[in-house]
Every structure is written in structure tokens, then in C-alpha cells.
Amino acid sequence: MNQELIPYLTFEDTKAALEYYKHVFGATDIFRESPTAKQAAEMAFNDDVDLENMTMSGHFKILDKEIWCADSFLGKPVVSSLISLMFKVNLDDSDAVAEMENLYKRAVDSEEVKVIVTFEKKSSGNRYGQFVDKYGITWIFNAVRND
């Protein structure tokens, strides 16, 4: 069975969120699609809504992992401390660890995330760190030995 589990995030302003992830995380392969007039009618949007600034569907990549997103059409989204996304790499893969460390450092250096755990070697020998972005999403960085 070939299946994927892809994070799907909801924002009040996905257009701005995509810019944030591009700037702070170095997100790539960014795509954003506005709702069509037909979709707006089906969803009973007000006639004065600016469809060009709304996002019906979007996605981007961080560390070559795909993340999908869209605007919340059911009201203002609620920030939840229950949402965490984890990057896990093999500690023996120095290139993957370096990529992870560079992403962590880039985001922290932007001063637009709140560090919860500094990314460093722990007593287990693994490297681990985490921070929370401005949307309340916790990002976990985990470099472990695959035994």
C-alpha cells in the first residue's frame, strides 16, 4: 500500500503565511491558488470578498517535505499547542543533519520563532531541538541513530 501522510495547515491569511515560511524557513516549491468565482458562489462568500487574496489551496516544501495549506473558510482558525511537526533524520547522515541544523539556525536567527529546546547533542547522543513559529506550530528537529 502506497500512502503518504501530509501535514495540512489552515491559516487566516495563507498568502502571508507562505511569505513567512519562505522568509523564515526558506520554503521552496511554493504554490497558491485563489478560489474561483464559482467556488466562491458555492461557498456563499460575500460579493465584496477579494478572491485574489484568499487561498483555496496551497503548498510548499521545507527540507524537501511537502506541506499543504489553505485559508480557514469556517471562521478564524484557533491556534493549538497540540500541533507539532517533526523532522527526523539519521544522525549518521551528515548532509541531512547539516540541512536540519541550517534550517533550525535560519529560523532562530530570524528572531521570528520562540526556541523551546536548543538544537544540540543530548545525553542520549542524539541531537534534538524545537521551536514554535508565529502561527503556534511546534517544529521538532530530531537527529537519531538508526540501530
Coordinates of all heavy atoms in Angstrom, one line a residue, residues 71-139:
D71 N -6.7 28.8 3.4 CA -7.3 29.7 4.3 C -8.4 29.0 5.1 O -9.0 28.0 4.6 CB -8.0 30.9 3.6 CG -7.0 32.0 3.1 OD1 -5.8 31.9 3.6 OD2 -7.4 32.8 2.3
S72 N -8.7 29.5 6.3 CA -9.8 28.9 7.0 C -11.1 29.6 6.5 O -11.2 30.8 6.6 CB -9.7 29.2 8.5 OG -10.8 28.9 9.2
F73 N -12.0 28.8 6.0 CA -13.2 29.4 5.5 C -14.4 29.2 6.5 O -15.5 29.6 6.2 CB -13.6 28.8 4.1 CG -12.6 29.1 3.1 CD1 -11.7 28.1 2.6 CD2 -12.5 30.4 2.5 CE1 -10.8 28.4 1.6 CE2 -11.5 30.7 1.6 CZ -10.7 29.7 1.1
L74 N -14.1 28.7 7.6 CA -15.1 28.4 8.6 C -14.9 29.4 9.8 O -15.3 29.1 10.9 CB -15.1 27.0 9.1 CG -15.3 25.9 8.0 CD1 -15.1 24.5 8.6 CD2 -16.7 26.1 7.4
G75 N -14.3 30.5 9.6 CA -14.0 31.4 10.7 C -12.6 31.5 11.0 O -11.7 30.8 10.4
K76 N -12.2 32.3 12.0 CA -10.8 32.5 12.4 C -10.3 31.2 13.0 O -10.9 30.6 13.9 CB -10.7 33.6 13.4 CG -9.3 33.9 13.8 CD -9.3 35.2 14.7 CE -7.8 35.5 15.0 NZ -7.7 36.8 15.6
P77 N -9.1 30.7 12.4 CA -8.6 29.4 13.0 C -8.1 29.6 14.4 O -7.7 30.7 14.8 CB -7.4 29.1 12.0 CG -7.1 30.4 11.3 CD -8.3 31.2 11.4
V78 N -8.1 28.6 15.2 CA -7.7 28.6 16.6 C -6.3 28.0 16.7 O -6.0 27.0 16.1 CB -8.7 27.8 17.4 CG1 -8.2 27.7 18.9 CG2 -10.1 28.3 17.3
V79 N -5.4 28.8 17.3 CA -4.0 28.3 17.5 C -4.1 27.2 18.5 O -4.8 27.3 19.5 CB -3.1 29.4 18.0 CG1 -1.8 28.9 18.4 CG2 -3.0 30.5 17.0
S80 N -3.4 26.1 18.2 CA -3.4 24.9 19.1 C -1.9 24.5 19.4 O -1.1 24.3 18.5 CB -4.1 23.8 18.4 OG -3.9 22.6 19.2
S81 N -1.7 24.3 20.7 CA -0.4 23.8 21.1 C -0.3 22.3 20.8 O 0.7 21.7 21.1 CB -0.1 24.1 22.5 OG -1.0 23.5 23.4
L82 N -1.3 21.7 20.3 CA -1.4 20.3 20.1 C -0.7 19.9 18.7 O -0.5 18.8 18.4 CB -2.8 19.8 20.1 CG -3.5 19.9 21.4 CD1 -5.0 19.5 21.3 CD2 -2.8 19.2 22.5
I83 N -0.4 20.9 17.9 CA 0.1 20.7 16.6 C 1.6 20.8 16.6 O 2.2 21.9 16.9 CB -0.5 21.6 15.5 CG1 -2.0 21.4 15.4 CG2 0.2 21.4 14.1 CD1 -2.7 22.4 14.5
S84 N 2.3 19.7 16.3 CA 3.7 19.7 16.2 C 4.1 18.9 14.9 O 3.5 17.9 14.5 CB 4.4 18.9 17.4 OG 4.1 19.6 18.6
L85 N 5.1 19.4 14.2 CA 5.7 18.7 13.0 C 7.1 18.4 13.3 O 7.9 19.2 13.8 CB 5.6 19.6 11.8 CG 4.2 20.1 11.5 CD1 4.2 21.1 10.3 CD2 3.3 19.0 11.1
M86 N 7.5 17.1 13.1 CA 8.8 16.7 13.4 C 9.6 16.3 12.2 O 9.1 15.5 11.3 CB 8.8 15.5 14.4 CG 10.2 15.0 14.8 SD 10.3 13.8 16.1 CE 9.5 12.4 15.4
F87 N 10.8 16.8 12.0 CA 11.8 16.3 11.1 C 12.7 15.3 11.8 O 13.2 15.6 12.8 CB 12.6 17.4 10.5 CG 11.9 18.4 9.6 CD1 11.6 19.7 10.1 CD2 11.4 18.0 8.4 CE1 10.9 20.6 9.3 CE2 10.7 18.9 7.6 CZ 10.5 20.2 8.0
K88 N 12.8 14.1 11.2 CA 13.7 13.1 11.8 C 14.7 12.6 10.7 O 14.3 12.3 9.6 CB 12.9 11.9 12.3 CG 13.7 10.8 12.9 CD 12.8 9.6 13.2 CE 13.6 8.4 13.5 NZ 12.7 7.2 13.6
V89 N 16.0 12.7 11.1 CA 17.0 12.2 10.1 C 17.9 11.2 10.9 O 18.0 11.2 12.1 CB 17.8 13.4 9.5 CG1 16.9 14.3 8.7 CG2 18.6 14.1 10.6
N90 N 18.7 10.5 10.1 CA 19.7 9.6 10.6 C 20.9 10.4 11.0 O 21.4 11.1 10.2 CB 20.0 8.5 9.6 CG 21.0 7.5 10.1 OD1 21.8 7.7 11.0 ND2 21.0 6.3 9.4
L91 N 21.3 10.3 12.3 CA 22.4 11.0 12.8 C 23.7 10.7 12.0 O 24.6 11.6 12.0 CB 22.6 10.7 14.3 CG 23.6 11.5 15.1 CD1 23.2 13.0 15.1 CD2 23.6 11.1 16.6
D92 N 23.8 9.6 11.4 CA 25.0 9.2 10.6 C 25.0 9.8 9.3 O 26.0 9.7 8.6 CB 25.1 7.7 10.5 CG 25.3 7.0 11.9 OD1 26.0 7.6 12.7 OD2 24.7 5.9 12.1
D93 N 23.9 10.4 8.8 CA 23.8 11.1 7.5 C 24.2 12.6 7.8 O 23.4 13.4 8.0 CB 22.4 11.0 7.0 CG 22.3 11.6 5.6 OD1 23.1 12.4 5.2 OD2 21.3 11.2 4.9
S94 N 25.5 12.9 7.6 CA 26.0 14.2 8.0 C 25.3 15.3 7.1 O 25.1 16.4 7.6 CB 27.5 14.3 7.9 OG 27.9 13.9 6.6
D95 N 25.0 15.0 5.8 CA 24.4 16.0 5.0 C 23.0 16.3 5.5 O 22.6 17.5 5.5 CB 24.3 15.5 3.5 CG 25.7 15.5 2.9 OD1 26.6 16.1 3.3 OD2 25.8 14.8 1.8
A96 N 22.2 15.3 5.9 CA 20.9 15.5 6.4 C 20.9 16.3 7.7 O 20.1 17.2 7.9 CB 20.1 14.2 6.5
V97 N 21.8 15.9 8.6 CA 21.9 16.6 9.8 C 22.3 18.1 9.6 O 21.8 19.0 10.2 CB 23.0 15.9 10.8 CG1 23.2 16.8 12.0 CG2 22.5 14.5 11.1
A98 N 23.2 18.3 8.7 CA 23.6 19.7 8.4 C 22.4 20.5 7.8 O 22.3 21.7 8.2 CB 24.8 19.7 7.4
E99 N 21.7 19.9 6.9 CA 20.5 20.6 6.4 C 19.5 21.0 7.5 O 19.0 22.1 7.5 CB 19.7 19.7 5.4 CG 20.3 19.8 3.9 CD 19.3 19.0 3.0 OE1 18.4 19.6 2.5 OE2 19.6 17.8 2.8
M100 N 19.3 20.0 8.4 CA 18.4 20.2 9.5 C 18.9 21.3 10.4 O 18.2 22.3 10.8 CB 18.2 18.9 10.3 CG 17.3 19.1 11.5 SD 17.2 17.6 12.5 CE 16.1 16.6 11.5
E101 N 20.2 21.3 10.7 CA 20.8 22.3 11.6 C 20.7 23.7 10.9 O 20.5 24.7 11.6 CB 22.2 21.9 11.9 CG 22.9 22.8 12.9 CD 24.2 22.3 13.4 OE1 24.9 21.5 12.7 OE2 24.6 22.6 14.5
N102 N 21.0 23.7 9.6 CA 20.9 25.0 8.9 C 19.5 25.6 8.9 O 19.3 26.8 9.1 CB 21.4 24.9 7.4 CG 22.9 24.6 7.4 OD1 23.6 25.0 8.3 ND2 23.3 24.0 6.2
L103 N 18.5 24.7 8.8 CA 17.1 25.2 8.8 C 16.8 25.7 10.2 O 16.2 26.8 10.4 CB 16.1 24.1 8.5 CG 14.6 24.4 8.7 CD1 14.2 25.7 8.0 CD2 13.8 23.2 8.4
Y104 N 17.2 25.0 11.3 CA 17.0 25.4 12.6 C 17.6 26.8 12.9 O 17.0 27.7 13.4 CB 17.5 24.3 13.6 CG 17.3 24.7 15.1 CD1 16.2 24.3 15.7 CD2 18.3 25.5 15.7 CE1 16.0 24.7 17.1 CE2 18.1 25.8 17.1 CZ 17.0 25.4 17.7 OH 16.8 25.8 19.0
K105 N 18.9 26.9 12.5 CA 19.6 28.1 12.7 C 19.0 29.3 11.9 O 18.9 30.4 12.5 CB 21.1 27.9 12.3 CG 22.0 29.1 12.6 CD 23.4 28.8 12.3 CE 24.4 30.0 12.5 NZ 23.9 31.2 12.9
R106 N 18.6 29.1 10.7 CA 18.0 30.1 9.9 C 16.7 30.7 10.6 O 16.5 31.9 10.7 CB 17.6 29.6 8.5 CG 16.9 30.6 7.7 CD 16.4 29.9 6.4 NE 15.6 30.9 5.6 CZ 15.9 31.2 4.4 NH1 16.8 30.6 3.7 NH2 15.2 32.2 3.8
A107 N 15.9 29.7 11.0 CA 14.6 30.2 11.7 C 14.9 30.9 13.0 O 14.3 31.9 13.3 CB 13.7 29.0 11.9
V108 N 15.8 30.4 13.8 CA 16.2 31.0 15.1 C 16.8 32.4 14.8 O 16.5 33.4 15.5 CB 17.1 30.1 15.9 CG1 17.6 30.9 17.1 CG2 16.3 28.9 16.4
D109 N 17.7 32.5 13.9 CA 18.4 33.8 13.6 C 17.4 34.8 13.1 O 17.7 36.0 13.2 CB 19.5 33.6 12.5 CG 20.7 32.9 13.1 OD1 20.8 32.7 14.4 OD2 21.6 32.5 12.4
S110 N 16.3 34.4 12.5 CA 15.3 35.3 12.0 C 14.6 36.1 13.2 O 14.0 37.1 13.0 CB 14.2 34.6 11.2 OG 13.3 33.9 12.1
E111 N 14.7 35.5 14.4 CA 14.0 36.0 15.6 C 12.5 36.0 15.4 O 11.8 36.8 16.1 CB 14.6 37.4 16.0 CG 16.1 37.4 16.3 CD 16.7 38.7 16.7 OE1 15.9 39.7 16.7 OE2 17.9 38.7 17.0
E112 N 12.0 35.2 14.6 CA 10.5 35.1 14.4 C 10.0 33.8 14.9 O 8.9 33.4 14.5 CB 10.2 35.3 12.9 CG 10.6 36.7 12.5 CD 9.9 37.1 11.2 OE1 8.7 36.8 11.0 OE2 10.6 37.7 10.3
V113 N 10.8 33.0 15.7 CA 10.3 31.8 16.3 C 10.7 31.9 17.8 O 11.6 32.6 18.2 CB 10.9 30.5 15.7 CG1 10.5 30.4 14.2 CG2 12.4 30.5 15.8
K114 N 10.0 31.1 18.6 CA 10.4 31.0 20.0 C 11.0 29.7 20.3 O 10.4 28.6 20.1 CB 9.1 31.1 20.9 CG 9.4 31.0 22.4 CD 8.1 31.1 23.2 CE 8.4 30.9 24.6 NZ 7.2 30.8 25.4
V115 N 12.3 29.7 20.7 CA 13.0 28.5 21.0 C 12.5 27.8 22.3 O 12.4 28.5 23.3 CB 14.6 28.8 21.1 CG1 15.3 27.5 21.5 CG2 15.1 29.3 19.8
I116 N 12.2 26.5 22.1 CA 11.8 25.8 23.3 C 12.9 24.9 23.8 O 13.2 24.8 25.0 CB 10.6 24.9 22.9 CG1 9.4 25.7 22.4 CG2 10.1 24.1 24.1 CD1 8.9 26.8 23.3
V117 N 13.6 24.2 22.9 CA 14.8 23.4 23.2 C 15.9 23.7 22.1 O 15.6 23.6 20.9 CB 14.4 21.9 23.2 CG1 15.7 21.0 23.5 CG2 13.3 21.6 24.1
T118 N 17.0 24.1 22.6 CA 18.1 24.4 21.7 C 18.6 23.1 21.0 O 18.7 22.0 21.6 CB 19.3 24.9 22.5 OG1 18.9 26.1 23.2 CG2 20.5 25.3 21.5
F119 N 18.8 23.2 19.6 CA 19.2 22.0 18.9 C 20.6 21.7 19.2 O 21.6 22.5 18.8 CB 19.0 22.3 17.4 CG 19.3 21.1 16.5 CD1 18.5 20.0 16.5 CD2 20.4 21.1 15.6 CE1 18.8 18.9 15.7 CE2 20.7 20.1 14.8 CZ 19.8 18.9 14.8
E120 N 20.9 20.6 19.9 CA 22.2 20.2 20.3 C 22.2 18.8 20.7 O 21.2 18.1 20.8 CB 22.7 21.1 21.4 CG 21.9 21.0 22.7 CD 22.2 22.0 23.8 OE1 23.0 22.9 23.5 OE2 21.7 21.9 24.9
K121 N 23.4 18.3 20.9 CA 23.6 16.9 21.3 C 23.1 16.7 22.7 O 23.4 17.5 23.6 CB 25.1 16.5 21.2 CG 25.3 15.0 21.5 CD 26.8 14.7 21.3 CE 27.1 13.2 21.5 NZ 28.5 12.9 21.3
K122 N 22.3 15.7 22.9 CA 21.7 15.4 24.2 C 22.4 14.2 24.8 O 23.3 13.6 24.2 CB 20.2 15.0 24.1 CG 19.4 16.1 23.4 CD 19.5 17.4 24.1 CE 18.7 18.5 23.4 NZ 18.9 19.8 23.8
S123 N 22.1 13.9 26.1 CA 22.8 12.8 26.8 C 22.6 11.5 26.1 O 23.5 10.6 26.3 CB 22.3 12.7 28.2 OG 20.9 12.4 28.3
S124 N 21.6 11.3 25.3 CA 21.4 10.0 24.6 C 22.3 9.9 23.4 O 22.4 8.8 22.8 CB 20.0 10.0 24.1 OG 19.8 11.1 23.1
G125 N 23.0 11.0 23.1 CA 23.9 11.0 21.9 C 23.2 11.5 20.6 O 23.8 11.9 19.7
N126 N 21.8 11.6 20.7 CA 21.0 12.2 19.6 C 21.1 13.7 19.7 O 21.5 14.3 20.7 CB 19.6 11.7 19.7 CG 19.4 10.2 19.6 OD1 20.3 9.6 18.9 ND2 18.4 9.6 20.1
R127 N 20.7 14.3 18.6 CA 20.6 15.8 18.5 C 19.2 16.1 18.4 O 18.4 15.5 17.6 CB 21.4 16.3 17.3 CG 22.9 16.0 17.5 CD 23.8 16.7 16.5 NE 23.7 18.1 16.8 CZ 24.1 19.0 15.9 NH1 24.6 18.7 14.7 NH2 24.0 20.3 16.2
Y128 N 18.7 17.1 19.2 CA 17.3 17.4 19.3 C 17.1 18.9 19.6 O 17.9 19.5 20.3 CB 16.7 16.5 20.4 CG 15.2 16.8 20.6 CD1 14.3 16.0 20.0 CD2 14.8 17.7 21.5 CE1 12.9 16.2 20.1 CE2 13.4 18.0 21.7 CZ 12.5 17.2 21.0 OH 11.2 17.4 21.2
G129 N 16.1 19.4 19.0 CA 15.7 20.8 19.3 C 14.3 21.1 18.9 O 13.7 20.3 18.1
Q130 N 13.7 22.2 19.4 CA 12.4 22.5 18.9 C 12.1 24.0 19.2 O 12.7 24.6 20.0 CB 11.3 21.7 19.6 CG 11.1 21.8 21.0 CD 10.0 20.9 21.6 OE1 9.4 20.2 20.8 NE2 9.8 21.0 22.9
F131 N 11.3 24.5 18.3 CA 10.8 25.9 18.5 C 9.3 26.0 18.0 O 8.8 25.1 17.4 CB 11.7 26.9 17.7 CG 11.8 26.7 16.3 CD1 10.8 26.9 15.4 CD2 13.0 26.3 15.7 CE1 10.9 26.7 14.0 CE2 13.2 26.1 14.4 CZ 12.2 26.3 13.5
V132 N 8.7 27.1 18.4 CA 7.3 27.4 18.0 C 7.4 28.6 17.0 O 8.0 29.6 17.3 CB 6.5 27.7 19.2 CG1 5.0 28.0 18.8 CG2 6.5 26.5 20.2
D133 N 6.7 28.5 15.9 CA 6.6 29.6 14.9 C 5.5 30.6 15.3 O 4.8 30.4 16.3 CB 6.5 29.0 13.5 CG 5.1 28.5 13.1 OD1 4.1 28.7 13.8 OD2 5.1 27.7 12.1
K134 N 5.4 31.6 14.5 CA 4.4 32.7 14.9 C 3.0 32.2 14.7 O 2.1 32.9 15.2 CB 4.7 33.9 14.0 CG 4.2 34.0 12.6 CD 4.5 35.3 12.0 CE 3.5 35.7 11.0 NZ 3.7 37.1 10.5
Y135 N 2.7 31.1 14.1 CA 1.4 30.6 14.0 C 1.0 29.5 15.1 O 0.0 28.9 15.0 CB 1.2 30.0 12.6 CG 1.3 31.0 11.5 CD1 2.4 31.2 10.8 CD2 0.2 31.9 11.3 CE1 2.5 32.2 9.8 CE2 0.3 32.9 10.3 CZ 1.5 33.0 9.6 OH 1.6 34.0 8.6
G136 N 2.0 29.3 16.0 CA 1.7 28.4 17.1 C 2.1 27.0 16.8 O 1.8 26.1 17.6
I137 N 2.7 26.7 15.7 CA 3.1 25.4 15.3 C 4.5 25.0 15.9 O 5.4 25.8 15.7 CB 3.1 25.2 13.8 CG1 1.7 25.4 13.2 CG2 3.6 23.8 13.4 CD1 1.6 25.6 11.7
T138 N 4.6 23.9 16.6 CA 5.8 23.5 17.2 C 6.6 22.7 16.1 O 6.0 21.7 15.5 CB 5.6 22.6 18.4 OG1 4.9 23.4 19.4 CG2 6.9 22.2 19.0
W139 N 7.8 23.0 15.9 CA 8.7 22.3 14.9 C 9.7 21.6 15.7 O 10.5 22.2 16.5 CB 9.3 23.3 13.9 CG 8.3 24.0 13.1 CD1 7.5 25.0 13.4 CD2 7.9 23.6 11.7 NE1 6.7 25.4 12.3 CE2 6.9 24.5 11.3 CE3 8.4 22.6 10.9 CZ2 6.3 24.4 10.1 CZ3 7.8 22.5 9.6 CH2 6.8 23.4 9.2

